[in-house]
Amino acid sequence: MTIFVTGGAGYIGSHTCVELLQNGHNVVVYDNLSNSSVEALKRVETITGKLITFIIGDIRDESSLTQAMQGCDAVIHFAGLKAVGESVAKPLEYYDNNVQGTLCLLRSMQTNSIKTLVFSSSATVYGDPESLPLREDHPLRTTNPYGQTKLVIEDILRDLYRSDNTWQIMILRYFNPVGAHESGLIGEDPQDIPNNLMPFIAQVAIGRRENLNIFGENYPTHDGTGVRDYIHVVDLAHGHLKALEALTSPQCTAINLGTGIGYSVLDVVNAFSKASQQSIPYIIAPRREGDIAACYADPSKANTAIGWSAKRNLDQMCHDAWNFQSKNPTGYK
Ligand code: NAD
Ligand code: UD1
């Protein structure tokens, strides 16, 4: 199949392109490079020995999008803005980019009679969990504009399917993607100061930042620090391939992609320190506004619906994140 991948130059998109190419699919990447580098795509070609068709463009440019996806069989939609704090400061940008962009994408798909879609959602749509582990039928609500864009898009997709039940839609709710491809050629390359834990730790380990701030030490968790379900990005990428392959009949299905295991901030610091053989100096800082104590998936639906489960453990995640960081101390630059 030929897969149209919006945001394919980004962190999760580039790893998914590797999976697609290695499994015999053709890939057309459509990305405006607002948070990524074309270098990532060159490296995907190096890893796979296959060529990517790359079109630079914005998903809000409907005519360019409609033309670019001609001849494709399915769409994986990663393109979007993803920083929670920034979304609070710039909500209109987030609604415009994520929601308006997705509306353009869906209309372009209709124009091209493409009705198979895999969409990047997030565990953020569960808000502060009422119960753990999180199942897909947990109530949906969000606490910030970024999360709200994901929930609105999910609702749009459910409404679209209700209006036309020939669509084949898989909504993937990611938990906390971390790590990098085992080659060390592609990985997470934050443009600014990292918001997320693992890339921040990696930059402390390489000496780009002095210390980690641990946001809160008195949560009701096993050691007082926040607990999350970290998932290796290569497992996540594989989940997209499985989701696509499972889309052989009309549906609109939401699935968690997580490991089901919760690790604390201190667990991650210790595992990263072991994997990198570096010390990770940290200080205890106040809680970050909007953070929750614990969040981890019940990943069993992914197993039954698409035949997928995560394979890589926390040590592997830290090893591969460090491998990418140490081979690319300044990212793709
Ligand atoms: P990323 O920023 O690395 O990738 C997103 C890509 O989309 C970038 O290459 C960017 O240039 C591109 N893009 C953004 N706006 C665009 C537009 N208007 N037109 C065309 N291209 C555009 O982020 P990622 O971590 O790879 O995340 C991919 C998707 O997964 C996002 O939708 C994100 O919200 C979602 N997600 C990510 C995480 C995470 O922790 N990384 C967790 C849950 C969900
Ligand atoms: C954050 C977003 C979430 C998004 C996800 C993936 C918030 C409130 N939530 O989730 O919507 O889907 O990223 O992009 O931003 N931590 C530190 N020090 C740091 C960074 C993080 O102690 O410098 C802690 C956090 O308090 C948390 C854990 O590490 O307990 C994980 O944080 P992070 O990687 O930012 O992910 P989430 O907060 O789960």
Side-chain angles (χ1 to χ4, degrees), residues 11-12 31-32 34-36 58-59 78 82 97 146 150 177:
Y11 173 46
I12 304 168
D31 198 304
N32 67 1
S34 60
N35 195 38
S36 52
D58 195 294
I59 52 168
F78 294 104
K82 62 166 183 175
N97 200 86
Y146 164 71
K150 291 293 175 194

Side-chain angles (χ1 to χ4, degrees), residues 191-205:
Q191 308 282 302
D192 219 334
I193 301 173
N195 296 306
N196 297 119
L197 179 65
M198 185 78 83
F200 202 104
I201 292 179
Q203 291 194 4
V204 173

